[in-house]
Amino acid sequence: MKKRLLLILTITTMTVILLAGCTQIEDEISKEEAQELVIEKHSGNIGNVEIKSIEIKNNKYIVEWENEENLERGIDEVDKKGNMKMIETEIE
């Protein structure tokens, strides 16, 4: 009986810990906030940055952007804390 109770308690505790650690990115940073971070980072003196697509992969936003006026485009990754990482960039 004690072993069974201990097993149930252990499984319940592990489930709670796993669920608490798996917060979705939308709970921390919105899609709009991620887009704004990318726009601010890539906006400069020439042209405006336009977001082409945004999706969630591995609990991070993957943001595809383009600036037609300076012929630049790229893909950035934004995590739930707002940290950005450039995945790809291209200048024509």
Side-chain angles (χ1 to χ4, degrees):
M1 186 71 164
K2 279 188 170 184
K3 287 183 181 183
R4 185 174 179 188
L5 183 60
L6 183 60
L7 179 64
I8 291 171
L9 182 61
T10 302
I11 291 172
T12 304
T13 304
M14 293 301 290
T15 303
V16 169
I17 290 170
L18 285 173
L19 290 175
C22 295
T23 59
Q24 297 297 316
I25 190 166
E26 296 100 335
D27 296 338
E28 302 290 325
I29 183 172
S30 72
K31 185 182 285 190
E32 292 77 19
E33 289 171 318
Q35 289 176 357
E36 281 300 315
L37 287 171
V38 171
I39 289 170
E40 286 175 18
K41 179 180 179 183
H42 295 289
S43 291
N45 296 332
I46 302 172
N48 295 314
V49 174
E50 180 182 332
I51 302 299
K52 293 301 202 179
S53 68
I54 185 167
E55 60 183 296
I56 298 173
K57 282 188 182 174
N58 299 324
N59 210 26
K60 296 176 182 172
Y61 290 109
I62 306 300
V63 184
E64 183 179 354
W65 56 272
E66 181 177 30
N67 183 336
E68 289 183 0
E69 293 180 47
N70 72 356
L71 303 175
E72 187 179 12
R73 74 177 103 210
I75 301 172
D76 288 351
E77 174 185 275
V78 181
D79 69 14
K80 63 174 116 183
K81 294 184 179 185
N83 299 319
M84 291 192 339
K85 177 181 173 186
M86 186 186 317
I87 296 175
E88 177 182 310
T89 190
E90 177 182 320
I91 301 173
E92 294 178 18

